[in-house]
Amino acid sequence: MKKHLLSLAVMMAGATLFTACNSHDEDNSLVPVAVTNGFYVVCSGNTSSAIDGSLTYFDYNTGAATQNAFKVANGRSLGMTVNDAIRYGDKLYIVVDGEHKVFVCNIKTMKQIGVIDTTDGTMLGEEGGAHPRRLTADGGNIYVSTYGGYVAAIDTLNFTLKKKYEVGSYPEGIAIYDGYLYVCNSDYGMGQKPSISKINLATGVDTPIKNENIRNPQEIAVAGTRAYYLDYGQYGPAPAYAQENAGVYCINSAGEISCVVPNATAMATSGYNIYTVNAPYGSGQVSYNIYNIQSGSLTTMTPPEIESPACIGVDPVNNYIFIASYHLTTSEWGTYADYSSNGYVVVFDSTGTNKLDKFDCGVGPQRFAFSIGVKYVPYTF
């Protein structure tokens, strides 16, 4: 493990946060403040090279990055294709596609305290639970999408199935807002029946959204009466297979769809901002933007030291921006991303331009999961 400069930056930001003014009169009372304890880099591994997935954990308090955090704590690997992770309450939930499982860990120790087999008969069954993909959480449940065409609501106390929702073809990203479950039905990029499910959690009724601008939806976030989804678009003919129409799209309350970031292959959200990376397959052109949903403005970022961007994340407390990248390698066939070696993460301030830190992560970085807690601090005047 290695110390990093980011720990100092976080402590400075925390000091500013903790001394915010207020209008209360009790000079000895405490106020709860959201703090980020650290974050996980979800690394899928590489199936073709028989490399298991992993988690890299960065601890804000120590400024240290721990590789293979699950393996260090439990003495064994997570298995093939780690897809997603989320902290909810005092637990960390980790989705492993190739094992058809959701591992449950103590958030403080990373020790496994449970395992959910989505293909078990008490869950979704062998077909319905195959290949769990993405997570969200709400109301004492975690929700996990599976390529079997379902989203399972699982009780976080006893890890039993509370309800299952049949959705569309090859569901990926999911979100819950105002009593509705939103699901990106990617159709595995085949373009035959992609859609976005909008399910009333109380009734279970799905009102699917279909549109020519829904081609291969992957991630979704909801703000007010609007949903924003990342679509991978489609791929052109051989030999280039150039990626086209990838971007971030908005669905308004009337179900109308418009493109708000015309070029994007990865996104993260925080507050009123959507942060995007555009690194389309078949093109060497890479760009980075911040879209503000209130003003509709699009700001360009220019992050240095990124060779081949893999994913982006934003700390919801301090708005630091994290971009994970593959290393580039060169051979007789040219220069390309090395999908079989460890990647790395570069940390930036909220503008996405000023570098704060850099550290290694596992093979195949694809998502960030933040460990947000609460700290009680005195009022200041």
Side-chain angles (χ1 to χ4, degrees), residues 5-18 36-37 39 58-61 315 318 320 322 347 356:
L5 296 176
L6 179 59
S7 58
L8 176 60
V10 170
M11 286 189 289
M12 293 174 65
T16 303
L17 181 66
F18 293 157
T36 306
N37 299 310
F39 61 90
F58 188 98
D59 189 322
Y60 273 6
N61 296 313
D315 187 318
N318 54 44
Y320 290 144
F322 303 82
V347 188
L356 300 177

mmCIF file with all atom_site columns, all heavy atoms in Angstrom, residues 5-18 36-37 39 58-61 315 318 320 322 347 356:
data_model
loop_
_atom_site.group_PDB
_atom_site.id
_atom_site.type_symbol
_atom_site.label_atom_id
_atom_site.label_alt_id
_atom_site.label_comp_id
_atom_site.label_asym_id
_atom_site.label_entity_id
_atom_site.label_seq_id
_atom_site.pdbx_PDB_ins_code
_atom_site.Cartn_x
_atom_site.Cartn_y
_atom_site.Cartn_z
_atom_site.occupancy
_atom_site.B_iso_or_equiv
_atom_site.pdbx_formal_charge
_atom_site.auth_seq_id
_atom_site.auth_comp_id
_atom_site.auth_asym_id
_atom_site.auth_atom_id
_atom_site.pdbx_PDB_model_num
ATOM 1   N N   . LEU A 1 5   ? -1.257  11.791 -2.074  1.00 0.00 ? 5   LEU A N   1
ATOM 2   C CA  . LEU A 1 5   ? -1.492  13.201 -1.812  1.00 0.00 ? 5   LEU A CA  1
ATOM 3   C C   . LEU A 1 5   ? -2.961  13.510 -1.575  1.00 0.00 ? 5   LEU A C   1
ATOM 4   O O   . LEU A 1 5   ? -3.298  14.491 -0.922  1.00 0.00 ? 5   LEU A O   1
ATOM 5   C CB  . LEU A 1 5   ? -0.990  14.042 -3.000  1.00 0.00 ? 5   LEU A CB  1
ATOM 6   C CG  . LEU A 1 5   ? 0.511   13.985 -3.271  1.00 0.00 ? 5   LEU A CG  1
ATOM 7   C CD1 . LEU A 1 5   ? 0.814   14.787 -4.525  1.00 0.00 ? 5   LEU A CD1 1
ATOM 8   C CD2 . LEU A 1 5   ? 1.304   14.523 -2.101  1.00 0.00 ? 5   LEU A CD2 1
ATOM 9   N N   . LEU A 1 6   ? -3.860  12.662 -2.078  1.00 0.00 ? 6   LEU A N   1
ATOM 10  C CA  . LEU A 1 6   ? -5.279  12.943 -1.978  1.00 0.00 ? 6   LEU A CA  1
ATOM 11  C C   . LEU A 1 6   ? -5.723  13.055 -0.531  1.00 0.00 ? 6   LEU A C   1
ATOM 12  O O   . LEU A 1 6   ? -6.622  13.817 -0.207  1.00 0.00 ? 6   LEU A O   1
ATOM 13  C CB  . LEU A 1 6   ? -6.080  11.852 -2.685  1.00 0.00 ? 6   LEU A CB  1
ATOM 14  C CG  . LEU A 1 6   ? -7.608  11.984 -2.651  1.00 0.00 ? 6   LEU A CG  1
ATOM 15  C CD1 . LEU A 1 6   ? -8.039  13.294 -3.286  1.00 0.00 ? 6   LEU A CD1 1
ATOM 16  C CD2 . LEU A 1 6   ? -8.252  10.826 -3.336  1.00 0.00 ? 6   LEU A CD2 1
ATOM 17  N N   . SER A 1 7   ? -5.122  12.293 0.392   1.00 0.00 ? 7   SER A N   1
ATOM 18  C CA  . SER A 1 7   ? -5.562  12.317 1.783   1.00 0.00 ? 7   SER A CA  1
ATOM 19  C C   . SER A 1 7   ? -5.484  13.713 2.360   1.00 0.00 ? 7   SER A C   1
ATOM 20  O O   . SER A 1 7   ? -6.348  14.152 3.111   1.00 0.00 ? 7   SER A O   1
ATOM 21  C CB  . SER A 1 7   ? -4.720  11.352 2.622   1.00 0.00 ? 7   SER A CB  1
ATOM 22  O OG  . SER A 1 7   ? -3.352  11.692 2.529   1.00 0.00 ? 7   SER A OG  1
ATOM 23  N N   . LEU A 1 8   ? -4.455  14.465 2.013   1.00 0.00 ? 8   LEU A N   1
ATOM 24  C CA  . LEU A 1 8   ? -4.316  15.837 2.496   1.00 0.00 ? 8   LEU A CA  1
ATOM 25  C C   . LEU A 1 8   ? -5.403  16.717 1.910   1.00 0.00 ? 8   LEU A C   1
ATOM 26  O O   . LEU A 1 8   ? -6.030  17.519 2.610   1.00 0.00 ? 8   LEU A O   1
ATOM 27  C CB  . LEU A 1 8   ? -2.940  16.395 2.128   1.00 0.00 ? 8   LEU A CB  1
ATOM 28  C CG  . LEU A 1 8   ? -2.693  17.867 2.486   1.00 0.00 ? 8   LEU A CG  1
ATOM 29  C CD1 . LEU A 1 8   ? -2.821  18.069 3.987   1.00 0.00 ? 8   LEU A CD1 1
ATOM 30  C CD2 . LEU A 1 8   ? -1.318  18.307 2.007   1.00 0.00 ? 8   LEU A CD2 1
ATOM 31  N N   . ALA A 1 9   ? -5.679  16.540 0.619   1.00 0.00 ? 9   ALA A N   1
ATOM 32  C CA  . ALA A 1 9   ? -6.713  17.355 -0.025  1.00 0.00 ? 9   ALA A CA  1
ATOM 33  C C   . ALA A 1 9   ? -8.070  17.094 0.589   1.00 0.00 ? 9   ALA A C   1
ATOM 34  O O   . ALA A 1 9   ? -8.871  18.011 0.780   1.00 0.00 ? 9   ALA A O   1
ATOM 35  C CB  . ALA A 1 9   ? -6.748  17.053 -1.528  1.00 0.00 ? 9   ALA A CB  1
ATOM 36  N N   . VAL A 1 10  ? -8.359  15.834 0.930   1.00 0.00 ? 10  VAL A N   1
ATOM 37  C CA  . VAL A 1 10  ? -9.644  15.487 1.522   1.00 0.00 ? 10  VAL A CA  1
ATOM 38  C C   . VAL A 1 10  ? -9.768  16.094 2.912   1.00 0.00 ? 10  VAL A C   1
ATOM 39  O O   . VAL A 1 10  ? -10.819 16.608 3.294   1.00 0.00 ? 10  VAL A O   1
ATOM 40  C CB  . VAL A 1 10  ? -9.830  13.959 1.582   1.00 0.00 ? 10  VAL A CB  1
ATOM 41  C CG1 . VAL A 1 10  ? -11.045 13.592 2.407   1.00 0.00 ? 10  VAL A CG1 1
ATOM 42  C CG2 . VAL A 1 10  ? -9.965  13.406 0.175   1.00 0.00 ? 10  VAL A CG2 1
ATOM 43  N N   . MET A 1 11  ? -8.706  16.043 3.708   1.00 0.00 ? 11  MET A N   1
ATOM 44  C CA  . MET A 1 11  ? -8.761  16.616 5.040   1.00 0.00 ? 11  MET A CA  1
ATOM 45  C C   . MET A 1 11  ? -9.007  18.115 4.974   1.00 0.00 ? 11  MET A C   1
ATOM 46  O O   . MET A 1 11  ? -9.759  18.679 5.770   1.00 0.00 ? 11  MET A O   1
ATOM 47  C CB  . MET A 1 11  ? -7.460  16.328 5.789   1.00 0.00 ? 11  MET A CB  1
ATOM 48  C CG  . MET A 1 11  ? -7.330  14.879 6.241   1.00 0.00 ? 11  MET A CG  1
ATOM 49  S SD  . MET A 1 11  ? -5.945  14.613 7.338   1.00 0.00 ? 11  MET A SD  1
ATOM 50  C CE  . MET A 1 11  ? -4.568  14.807 6.220   1.00 0.00 ? 11  MET A CE  1
ATOM 51  N N   . MET A 1 12  ? -8.399  18.784 4.011   1.00 0.00 ? 12  MET A N   1
ATOM 52  C CA  . MET A 1 12  ? -8.612  20.221 3.860   1.00 0.00 ? 12  MET A CA  1
ATOM 53  C C   . MET A 1 12  ? -10.053 20.517 3.466   1.00 0.00 ? 12  MET A C   1
ATOM 54  O O   . MET A 1 12  ? -10.682 21.434 3.991   1.00 0.00 ? 12  MET A O   1
ATOM 55  C CB  . MET A 1 12  ? -7.648  20.784 2.821   1.00 0.00 ? 12  MET A CB  1
ATOM 56  C CG  . MET A 1 12  ? -6.191  20.744 3.251   1.00 0.00 ? 12  MET A CG  1
ATOM 57  S SD  . MET A 1 12  ? -5.079  21.246 1.928   1.00 0.00 ? 12  MET A SD  1
ATOM 58  C CE  . MET A 1 12  ? -5.560  22.957 1.729   1.00 0.00 ? 12  MET A CE  1
ATOM 59  N N   . ALA A 1 13  ? -10.595 19.712 2.536   1.00 0.00 ? 13  ALA A N   1
ATOM 60  C CA  . ALA A 1 13  ? -11.980 19.908 2.116   1.00 0.00 ? 13  ALA A CA  1
ATOM 61  C C   . ALA A 1 13  ? -12.925 19.632 3.273   1.00 0.00 ? 13  ALA A C   1
ATOM 62  O O   . ALA A 1 13  ? -13.920 20.331 3.477   1.00 0.00 ? 13  ALA A O   1
ATOM 63  C CB  . ALA A 1 13  ? -12.310 18.991 0.939   1.00 0.00 ? 13  ALA A CB  1
ATOM 64  N N   . GLY A 1 14  ? -12.601 18.608 4.069   1.00 0.00 ? 14  GLY A N   1
ATOM 65  C CA  . GLY A 1 14  ? -13.434 18.259 5.209   1.00 0.00 ? 14  GLY A CA  1
ATOM 66  C C   . GLY A 1 14  ? -13.456 19.355 6.245   1.00 0.00 ? 14  GLY A C   1
ATOM 67  O O   . GLY A 1 14  ? -14.484 19.648 6.860   1.00 0.00 ? 14  GLY A O   1
ATOM 68  N N   . ALA A 1 15  ? -12.316 20.004 6.462   1.00 0.00 ? 15  ALA A N   1
ATOM 69  C CA  . ALA A 1 15  ? -12.259 21.082 7.440   1.00 0.00 ? 15  ALA A CA  1
ATOM 70  C C   . ALA A 1 15  ? -13.176 22.217 7.044   1.00 0.00 ? 15  ALA A C   1
ATOM 71  O O   . ALA A 1 15  ? -13.860 22.818 7.882   1.00 0.00 ? 15  ALA A O   1
ATOM 72  C CB  . ALA A 1 15  ? -10.824 21.581 7.566   1.00 0.00 ? 15  ALA A CB  1
ATOM 73  N N   . THR A 1 16  ? -13.215 22.544 5.762   1.00 0.00 ? 16  THR A N   1
ATOM 74  C CA  . THR A 1 16  ? -14.114 23.583 5.271   1.00 0.00 ? 16  THR A CA  1
ATOM 75  C C   . THR A 1 16  ? -15.567 23.167 5.477   1.00 0.00 ? 16  THR A C   1
ATOM 76  O O   . THR A 1 16  ? -16.407 23.955 5.901   1.00 0.00 ? 16  THR A O   1
ATOM 77  C CB  . THR A 1 16  ? -13.859 23.835 3.771   1.00 0.00 ? 16  THR A CB  1
ATOM 78  O OG1 . THR A 1 16  ? -12.491 24.193 3.605   1.00 0.00 ? 16  THR A OG1 1
ATOM 79  C CG2 . THR A 1 16  ? -14.741 24.943 3.250   1.00 0.00 ? 16  THR A CG2 1
ATOM 80  N N   . LEU A 1 17  ? -15.872 21.907 5.187   1.00 0.00 ? 17  LEU A N   1
ATOM 81  C CA  . LEU A 1 17  ? -17.230 21.413 5.310   1.00 0.00 ? 17  LEU A CA  1
ATOM 82  C C   . LEU A 1 17  ? -17.691 21.443 6.758   1.00 0.00 ? 17  LEU A C   1
ATOM 83  O O   . LEU A 1 17  ? -18.810 21.837 7.068   1.00 0.00 ? 17  LEU A O   1
ATOM 84  C CB  . LEU A 1 17  ? -17.299 19.982 4.763   1.00 0.00 ? 17  LEU A CB  1
ATOM 85  C CG  . LEU A 1 17  ? -18.656 19.279 4.788   1.00 0.00 ? 17  LEU A CG  1
ATOM 86  C CD1 . LEU A 1 17  ? -19.618 19.970 3.845   1.00 0.00 ? 17  LEU A CD1 1
ATOM 87  C CD2 . LEU A 1 17  ? -18.482 17.830 4.395   1.00 0.00 ? 17  LEU A CD2 1
ATOM 88  N N   . PHE A 1 18  ? -16.838 21.016 7.662   1.00 0.00 ? 18  PHE A N   1
ATOM 89  C CA  . PHE A 1 18  ? -17.222 20.890 9.056   1.00 0.00 ? 18  PHE A CA  1
ATOM 90  C C   . PHE A 1 18  ? -17.468 22.233 9.733   1.00 0.00 ? 18  PHE A C   1
ATOM 91  O O   . PHE A 1 18  ? -18.133 22.288 10.763  1.00 0.00 ? 18  PHE A O   1
ATOM 92  C CB  . PHE A 1 18  ? -16.145 20.139 9.844   1.00 0.00 ? 18  PHE A CB  1
ATOM 93  C CG  . PHE A 1 18  ? -15.998 18.702 9.447   1.00 0.00 ? 18  PHE A CG  1
ATOM 94  C CD1 . PHE A 1 18  ? -14.819 18.014 9.689   1.00 0.00 ? 18  PHE A CD1 1
ATOM 95  C CD2 . PHE A 1 18  ? -17.030 18.043 8.808   1.00 0.00 ? 18  PHE A CD2 1
ATOM 96  C CE1 . PHE A 1 18  ? -14.691 16.702 9.313   1.00 0.00 ? 18  PHE A CE1 1
ATOM 97  C CE2 . PHE A 1 18  ? -16.897 16.727 8.428   1.00 0.00 ? 18  PHE A CE2 1
ATOM 98  C CZ  . PHE A 1 18  ? -15.732 16.050 8.680   1.00 0.00 ? 18  PHE A CZ  1
ATOM 99  N N   . THR A 1 36  ? -17.160 11.131 3.008   1.00 0.00 ? 36  THR A N   1
ATOM 100 C CA  . THR A 1 36  ? -16.741 9.980  2.224   1.00 0.00 ? 36  THR A CA  1
ATOM 101 C C   . THR A 1 36  ? -15.582 9.299  2.937   1.00 0.00 ? 36  THR A C   1
ATOM 102 O O   . THR A 1 36  ? -14.543 9.903  3.179   1.00 0.00 ? 36  THR A O   1
ATOM 103 C CB  . THR A 1 36  ? -16.292 10.397 0.815   1.00 0.00 ? 36  THR A CB  1
ATOM 104 O OG1 . THR A 1 36  ? -17.331 11.162 0.202   1.00 0.00 ? 36  THR A OG1 1
ATOM 105 C CG2 . THR A 1 36  ? -16.007 9.173  -0.043  1.00 0.00 ? 36  THR A CG2 1
ATOM 106 N N   . ASN A 1 37  ? -15.780 8.032  3.299   1.00 0.00 ? 37  ASN A N   1
ATOM 107 C CA  . ASN A 1 37  ? -14.722 7.283  3.962   1.00 0.00 ? 37  ASN A CA  1
ATOM 108 C C   . ASN A 1 37  ? -13.696 6.749  2.969   1.00 0.00 ? 37  ASN A C   1
ATOM 109 O O   . ASN A 1 37  ? -12.519 6.581  3.295   1.00 0.00 ? 37  ASN A O   1
ATOM 110 C CB  . ASN A 1 37  ? -15.325 6.121  4.757   1.00 0.00 ? 37  ASN A CB  1
ATOM 111 C CG  . ASN A 1 37  ? -16.279 6.599  5.829   1.00 0.00 ? 37  ASN A CG  1
ATOM 112 O OD1 . ASN A 1 37  ? -15.951 7.484  6.607   1.00 0.00 ? 37  ASN A OD1 1
ATOM 113 N ND2 . ASN A 1 37  ? -17.474 6.033  5.867   1.00 0.00 ? 37  ASN A ND2 1
ATOM 114 N N   . PHE A 1 39  ? -13.498 4.787  -1.354  1.00 0.00 ? 39  PHE A N   1
ATOM 115 C CA  . PHE A 1 39  ? -14.246 4.298  -2.521  1.00 0.00 ? 39  PHE A CA  1
ATOM 116 C C   . PHE A 1 39  ? -13.598 3.032  -3.059  1.00 0.00 ? 39  PHE A C   1
ATOM 117 O O   . PHE A 1 39  ? -12.429 2.738  -2.796  1.00 0.00 ? 39  PHE A O   1
ATOM 118 C CB  . PHE A 1 39  ? -14.336 5.359  -3.618  1.00 0.00 ? 39  PHE A CB  1
ATOM 119 C CG  . PHE A 1 39  ? -13.009 5.795  -4.174  1.00 0.00 ? 39  PHE A CG  1
ATOM 120 C CD1 . PHE A 1 39  ? -12.442 5.143  -5.260  1.00 0.00 ? 39  PHE A CD1 1
ATOM 121 C CD2 . PHE A 1 39  ? -12.326 6.856  -3.616  1.00 0.00 ? 39  PHE A CD2 1
ATOM 122 C CE1 . PHE A 1 39  ? -11.217 5.541  -5.771  1.00 0.00 ? 39  PHE A CE1 1
ATOM 123 C CE2 . PHE A 1 39  ? -11.099 7.266  -4.114  1.00 0.00 ? 39  PHE A CE2 1
ATOM 124 C CZ  . PHE A 1 39  ? -10.551 6.615  -5.195  1.00 0.00 ? 39  PHE A CZ  1
ATOM 125 N N   . PHE A 1 58  ? -9.681  2.543  -1.925  1.00 0.00 ? 58  PHE A N   1
ATOM 126 C CA  . PHE A 1 58  ? -8.885  3.706  -1.535  1.00 0.00 ? 58  PHE A CA  1
ATOM 127 C C   . PHE A 1 58  ? -9.485  4.281  -0.263  1.00 0.00 ? 58  PHE A C   1
ATOM 128 O O   . PHE A 1 58  ? -10.655 4.662  -0.230  1.00 0.00 ? 58  PHE A O   1
ATOM 129 C CB  . PHE A 1 58  ? -8.877  4.761  -2.641  1.00 0.00 ? 58  PHE A CB  1
ATOM 130 C CG  . PHE A 1 58  ? -7.910  5.889  -2.371  1.00 0.00 ? 58  PHE A CG  1
ATOM 131 C CD1 . PHE A 1 58  ? -6.651  5.888  -2.942  1.00 0.00 ? 58  PHE A CD1 1
ATOM 132 C CD2 . PHE A 1 58  ? -8.256  6.930  -1.527  1.00 0.00 ? 58  PHE A CD2 1
ATOM 133 C CE1 . PHE A 1 58  ? -5.753  6.921  -2.672  1.00 0.00 ? 58  PHE A CE1 1
ATOM 134 C CE2 . PHE A 1 58  ? -7.370  7.960  -1.260  1.00 0.00 ? 58  PHE A CE2 1
ATOM 135 C CZ  . PHE A 1 58  ? -6.112  7.951  -1.829  1.00 0.00 ? 58  PHE A CZ  1
ATOM 136 N N   . ASP A 1 59  ? -8.671  4.342  0.786   1.00 0.00 ? 59  ASP A N   1
ATOM 137 C CA  . ASP A 1 59  ? -9.096  4.838  2.088   1.00 0.00 ? 59  ASP A CA  1
ATOM 138 C C   . ASP A 1 59  ? -8.743  6.313  2.213   1.00 0.00 ? 59  ASP A C   1
ATOM 139 O O   . ASP A 1 59  ? -7.565  6.686  2.187   1.00 0.00 ? 59  ASP A O   1
ATOM 140 C CB  . ASP A 1 59  ? -8.396  4.024  3.186   1.00 0.00 ? 59  ASP A CB  1
ATOM 141 C CG  . ASP A 1 59  ? -8.944  4.316  4.574   1.00 0.00 ? 59  ASP A CG  1
ATOM 142 O OD1 . ASP A 1 59  ? -9.264  5.492  4.861   1.00 0.00 ? 59  ASP A OD1 1
ATOM 143 O OD2 . ASP A 1 59  ? -9.048  3.369  5.374   1.00 0.00 ? 59  ASP A OD2 1
ATOM 144 N N   . TYR A 1 60  ? -9.756  7.176  2.347   1.00 0.00 ? 60  TYR A N   1
ATOM 145 C CA  . TYR A 1 60  ? -9.501  8.607  2.467   1.00 0.00 ? 60  TYR A CA  1
ATOM 146 C C   . TYR A 1 60  ? -8.726  8.948  3.740   1.00 0.00 ? 60  TYR A C   1
ATOM 147 O O   . TYR A 1 60  ? -7.959  9.906  3.765   1.00 0.00 ? 60  TYR A O   1
ATOM 148 C CB  . TYR A 1 60  ? -10.827 9.368  2.494   1.00 0.00 ? 60  TYR A CB  1
ATOM 149 C CG  . TYR A 1 60  ? -11.386 9.726  1.139   1.00 0.00 ? 60  TYR A CG  1
ATOM 150 C CD1 . TYR A 1 60  ? -10.805 9.272  -0.041  1.00 0.00 ? 60  TYR A CD1 1
ATOM 151 C CD2 . TYR A 1 60  ? -12.517 10.518 1.029   1.00 0.00 ? 60  TYR A CD2 1
ATOM 152 C CE1 . TYR A 1 60  ? -11.329 9.610  -1.274  1.00 0.00 ? 60  TYR A CE1 1
ATOM 153 C CE2 . TYR A 1 60  ? -13.054 10.867 -0.199  1.00 0.00 ? 60  TYR A CE2 1
ATOM 154 C CZ  . TYR A 1 60  ? -12.457 10.408 -1.348  1.00 0.00 ? 60  TYR A CZ  1
ATOM 155 O OH  . TYR A 1 60  ? -12.973 10.750 -2.570  1.00 0.00 ? 60  TYR A OH  1
ATOM 156 N N   . ASN A 1 61  ? -8.952  8.193  4.811   1.00 0.00 ? 61  ASN A N   1
ATOM 157 C CA  . ASN A 1 61  ? -8.321  8.525  6.083   1.00 0.00 ? 61  ASN A CA  1
ATOM 158 C C   . ASN A 1 61  ? -6.827  8.240  6.088   1.00 0.00 ? 61  ASN A C   1
ATOM 159 O O   . ASN A 1 61  ? -6.043  8.990  6.683   1.00 0.00 ? 61  ASN A O   1
ATOM 160 C CB  . ASN A 1 61  ? -9.005  7.761  7.223   1.00 0.00 ? 61  ASN A CB  1
ATOM 161 C CG  . ASN A 1 61  ? -10.453 8.161  7.397   1.00 0.00 ? 61  ASN A CG  1
ATOM 162 O OD1 . ASN A 1 61  ? -10.779 9.347  7.415   1.00 0.00 ? 61  ASN A OD1 1
ATOM 163 N ND2 . ASN A 1 61  ? -11.333 7.188  7.505   1.00 0.00 ? 61  ASN A ND2 1
ATOM 164 N N   . ASP A 1 315 ? -17.229 11.711 -6.604  1.00 0.00 ? 315 ASP A N   1
ATOM 165 C CA  . ASP A 1 315 ? -17.558 11.654 -5.186  1.00 0.00 ? 315 ASP A CA  1
ATOM 166 C C   . ASP A 1 315 ? -18.736 12.597 -4.930  1.00 0.00 ? 315 ASP A C   1
ATOM 167 O O   . ASP A 1 315 ? -18.630 13.800 -5.168  1.00 0.00 ? 315 ASP A O   1
ATOM 168 C CB  . ASP A 1 315 ? -16.336 12.086 -4.370  1.00 0.00 ? 315 ASP A CB  1
ATOM 169 C CG  . ASP A 1 315 ? -16.542 11.900 -2.876  1.00 0.00 ? 315 ASP A CG  1
ATOM 170 O OD1 . ASP A 1 315 ? -17.636 12.212 -2.388  1.00 0.00 ? 315 ASP A OD1 1
ATOM 171 O OD2 . ASP A 1 315 ? -15.590 11.482 -2.187  1.00 0.00 ? 315 ASP A OD2 1
ATOM 172 N N   . ASN A 1 318 ? -17.696 15.676 -2.186  1.00 0.00 ? 318 ASN A N   1
ATOM 173 C CA  . ASN A 1 318 ? -16.760 16.769 -2.507  1.00 0.00 ? 318 ASN A CA  1
ATOM 174 C C   . ASN A 1 318 ? -16.590 17.015 -4.005  1.00 0.00 ? 318 ASN A C   1
ATOM 175 O O   . ASN A 1 318 ? -15.850 17.910 -4.406  1.00 0.00 ? 318 ASN A O   1
ATOM 176 C CB  . ASN A 1 318 ? -15.391 16.488 -1.877  1.00 0.00 ? 318 ASN A CB  1
ATOM 177 C CG  . ASN A 1 318 ? -14.848 15.124 -2.270  1.00 0.00 ? 318 ASN A CG  1
ATOM 178 O OD1 . ASN A 1 318 ? -14.914 14.728 -3.432  1.00 0.00 ? 318 ASN A OD1 1
ATOM 179 N ND2 . ASN A 1 318 ? -14.307 14.378 -1.316  1.00 0.00 ? 318 ASN A ND2 1
ATOM 180 N N   . TYR A 1 320 ? -14.977 15.459 -6.234  1.00 0.00 ? 320 TYR A N   1
ATOM 181 C CA  . TYR A 1 320 ? -13.751 15.047 -6.904  1.00 0.00 ? 320 TYR A CA  1
ATOM 182 C C   . TYR A 1 320 ? -14.116 14.074 -8.025  1.00 0.00 ? 320 TYR A C   1
ATOM 183 O O   . TYR A 1 320 ? -15.027 13.259 -7.894  1.00 0.00 ? 320 TYR A O   1
ATOM 184 C CB  . TYR A 1 320 ? -12.785 14.366 -5.934  1.00 0.00 ? 320 TYR A CB  1
ATOM 185 C CG  . TYR A 1 320 ? -12.179 15.299 -4.925  1.00 0.00 ? 320 TYR A CG  1
ATOM 186 C CD1 . TYR A 1 320 ? -11.937 14.867 -3.630  1.00 0.00 ? 320 TYR A CD1 1
ATOM 187 C CD2 . TYR A 1 320 ? -11.831 16.600 -5.259  1.00 0.00 ? 320 TYR A CD2 1
ATOM 188 C CE1 . TYR A 1 320 ? -11.375 15.719 -2.691  1.00 0.00 ? 320 TYR A CE1 1
ATOM 189 C CE2 . TYR A 1 320 ? -11.267 17.456 -4.339  1.00 0.00 ? 320 TYR A CE2 1
ATOM 190 C CZ  . TYR A 1 320 ? -11.043 17.013 -3.049  1.00 0.00 ? 320 TYR A CZ  1
ATOM 191 O OH  . TYR A 1 320 ? -10.495 17.859 -2.131  1.00 0.00 ? 320 TYR A OH  1
ATOM 192 N N   . PHE A 1 322 ? -13.010 11.053 -10.680 1.00 0.00 ? 322 PHE A N   1
ATOM 193 C CA  . PHE A 1 322 ? -12.102 9.909  -10.792 1.00 0.00 ? 322 PHE A CA  1
ATOM 194 C C   . PHE A 1 322 ? -12.255 9.300  -12.181 1.00 0.00 ? 322 PHE A C   1
ATOM 195 O O   . PHE A 1 322 ? -13.366 8.971  -12.604 1.00 0.00 ? 322 PHE A O   1
ATOM 196 C CB  . PHE A 1 322 ? -12.433 8.861  -9.734  1.00 0.00 ? 322 PHE A CB  1
ATOM 197 C CG  . PHE A 1 322 ? -12.387 9.379  -8.331  1.00 0.00 ? 322 PHE A CG  1
ATOM 198 C CD1 . PHE A 1 322 ? -13.466 10.068 -7.803  1.00 0.00 ? 322 PHE A CD1 1
ATOM 199 C CD2 . PHE A 1 322 ? -11.259 9.210  -7.546  1.00 0.00 ? 322 PHE A CD2 1
ATOM 200 C CE1 . PHE A 1 322 ? -13.433 10.572 -6.508  1.00 0.00 ? 322 PHE A CE1 1
ATOM 201 C CE2 . PHE A 1 322 ? -11.218 9.706  -6.252  1.00 0.00 ? 322 PHE A CE2 1
ATOM 202 C CZ  . PHE A 1 322 ? -12.304 10.394 -5.724  1.00 0.00 ? 322 PHE A CZ  1
ATOM 203 N N   . VAL A 1 347 ? -7.084  11.105 -10.130 1.00 0.00 ? 347 VAL A N   1
ATOM 204 C CA  . VAL A 1 347 ? -8.050  11.876 -9.355  1.00 0.00 ? 347 VAL A CA  1
ATOM 205 C C   . VAL A 1 347 ? -7.907  13.357 -9.690  1.00 0.00 ? 347 VAL A C   1
ATOM 206 O O   . VAL A 1 347 ? -6.788  13.885 -9.726  1.00 0.00 ? 347 VAL A O   1
ATOM 207 C CB  . VAL A 1 347 ? -7.833  11.667 -7.846  1.00 0.00 ? 347 VAL A CB  1
ATOM 208 C CG1 . VAL A 1 347 ? -8.960  12.315 -7.048  1.00 0.00 ? 347 VAL A CG1 1
ATOM 209 C CG2 . VAL A 1 347 ? -7.721  10.182 -7.516  1.00 0.00 ? 347 VAL A CG2 1
ATOM 210 N N   . LEU A 1 356 ? -5.049  15.624 -8.706  1.00 0.00 ? 356 LEU A N   1
ATOM 211 C CA  . LEU A 1 356 ? -4.774  15.553 -7.276  1.00 0.00 ? 356 LEU A CA  1
ATOM 212 C C   . LEU A 1 356 ? -3.982  14.313 -6.899  1.00 0.00 ? 356 LEU A C   1
ATOM 213 O O   . LEU A 1 356 ? -3.213  14.336 -5.938  1.00 0.00 ? 356 LEU A O   1
ATOM 214 C CB  . LEU A 1 356 ? -6.087  15.560 -6.483  1.00 0.00 ? 356 LEU A CB  1
ATOM 215 C CG  . LEU A 1 356 ? -7.009  16.775 -6.655  1.00 0.00 ? 356 LEU A CG  1
ATOM 216 C CD1 . LEU A 1 356 ? -8.288  16.575 -5.859  1.00 0.00 ? 356 LEU A CD1 1
ATOM 217 C CD2 . LEU A 1 356 ? -6.298  18.045 -6.235  1.00 0.00 ? 356 LEU A CD2 1
#
